[in-house]
Amino acid sequence: MTVATLVGNLALDLRLLTAGAAVDRPVSWVHVSELADPTPFLEGGELLLITGVALRNGAQAEDYVARLVAAGVVGLGFGTGVGRDDVPPELVAAAEGSGLALLEVPRPTPFIAISRTVSAALAADEYAAVTRAASAQQELTRAALAPGAPATVLERLARQVGGWVLLADAAGAPLEAVPATAARRAVELRPELDRLRGLRAPASAALSSPDETVLVQSLGSGARIRGFLAVGSPGVLPASERHVVNAAVLLLTLRLEQSRALDSAMASLRAALLRLLLAGEDAAVAEVVAELGGQLPGQPLTVVVVLGSSAQRAAVVDVAADASARERAPFFSAELDGALVLLVASDGAVSGRLAALADRVPGASWGSSVPGTWSRLAEAVRQARQAAEHGRVRGARVTAFADLAIPGLAGLLDPATTQAFAEALLAPLTAADRTSAGDLVESVRVWLAHHGQWEPAATQLGVHRHTLRKRVRRAADLLGRDLDQPGTRAELWLALHPPV
């Protein structure tokens, strides 16, 4: 319903007094007010009806019209034959100058008739929108049941919203796009997809700009996200079309959830294949993987073990598959003893992007092995798991097995636990030092530093070597240990040099 539509309704007998004003703007409602400033009670889009009670002074017309235009009023109707027989010329001039549509409402046309006309038109529009939405939902349902889904669903949805539609997998990689160029939007939407991936499905987001509205929704139920749907439409997306988008989300989720049983079977198959690989049957497994449409990575290969929740491990598979598809680098994944095992080529793009991939799955701990061959796969899996477990304790997101040697033995130990061990082991020597000359702990420390050589150790301590022998012998008696044993010396060294 527009001002032009009302003027064209002969039953209302309205006359347009401003030839240059816009008359094609939608009328959101009809409001009657004789206030000098009714704008606090307006939302914009209204047709305001008055009899001119507040405009006794013609000089007020220009300010009055300016306020209405600023408030977004689309038209002003002046009722004649009540307070005055004609529309004040000052009001006509002000409306003409501001581009506000000004209508003369004759005495035989009651204001309520205009209100009823607009109200009926708005109700008809709403009913039509609901009908279109219901029809669109039925069409989407038929498309979801027909061969070719989900592409068919996306085509119907794009036509309904008059924009573009993108379906992405759980990693954010495009699966289907209408039109095909909409697949490029996946890159700019990745930050939003990563944010939604951290929320329980279904979750949604709306991205608005002056030229476009983009709705993004995760597909799935519970903690497992199975994909994303992004819908872009010019301008504002009406509520009726949002309902259609929600219907599409539901249908696509149901479609994706139907594959859950297949996913479970494939997970069991991959776990069995990994055990065959660990048993040295890489040639036989390669044939099976090829039959499934995949390919094992080439040698040298790197094993990556990921520790985390089942949802985190599932997300890792998705992001690794995304990187593998983009880089055309084969990889293999399977569950093993509560952990996810990834096999990638050591010189491939996936191996080189572990840190970036780990950033997309917060909370998981990644560990990688040194490059190896299929014949040493079991050892590589052990290395990767040790690295992942060490990283989880230390709070590191990605840990390479080779990095475990960098901080030395002390770097592998928990400082608090090691400190408690040191205090307990050295307690007899510490107690003896309190009641005597206080030289047992330091003497053992210096003696160990000189690899058990008496002369240089005694020289550093400033005592005779026989004196040092007595101290070390007494320390051995108090500890109840043989200090000539390498294991005992190692324990004492660690106790005397605890990590910080």
Side-chain angles (χ1 to χ4, degrees), residues 428-448:
L429 305 186
T430 304
D433 281 346
R434 291 197 201 98
T435 59
S436 60
D439 48 20
L440 292 181
V441 172
E442 182 62 18
S443 296
V444 171
R445 188 196 313 274
V446 174
W447 179 68
L448 289 174

Side-chain angles (χ1 to χ4, degrees), residues 347-432:
D347 55 354
V350 177
S351 176
R353 295 179 54 197
L354 292 182
L357 296 179
D359 288 340
R360 299 183 62 187
V361 190
S365 298
W366 300 51
S368 62
S369 70
V370 298
T373 61
W374 289 111
S375 62
R376 307 192 68 175
L377 179 62
E379 181 181 354
V381 171
R382 176 185 58 78
Q383 292 177 354
R385 180 146 198 159
Q386 288 178 340
E389 289 174 346
H390 179 74
R392 180 165 60 179
V393 172
R394 296 288 175 172
R397 186 164 294 181
V398 180
T399 305
F401 182 75
D403 294 340
L404 301 187
I406 294 176
L409 177 62
L412 300 177
L413 304 176
D414 177 65
T417 303
T418 307
Q419 184 65 40
F421 165 78
E423 291 176 1
L425 179 60
L426 299 175
L429 305 186
T430 304

Side-chain angles (χ1 to χ4, degrees), residues 56-93:
R56 298 300 184 185
N57 183 355
Q60 298 173 335
E62 188 170 344
D63 291 339
Y64 180 78
V65 169
R67 288 194 294 270
L68 298 185
V69 171
V73 171
V74 300
L76 177 64
F78 192 97
T80 57
V82 181
R84 347 181 4 146
D85 294 332
D86 60 349
V87 179
E90 297 87 357
L91 183 61
V92 176

Side-chain angles (χ1 to χ4, degrees), residues 337 341 447:
D337 300 330
V341 177
W447 179 68

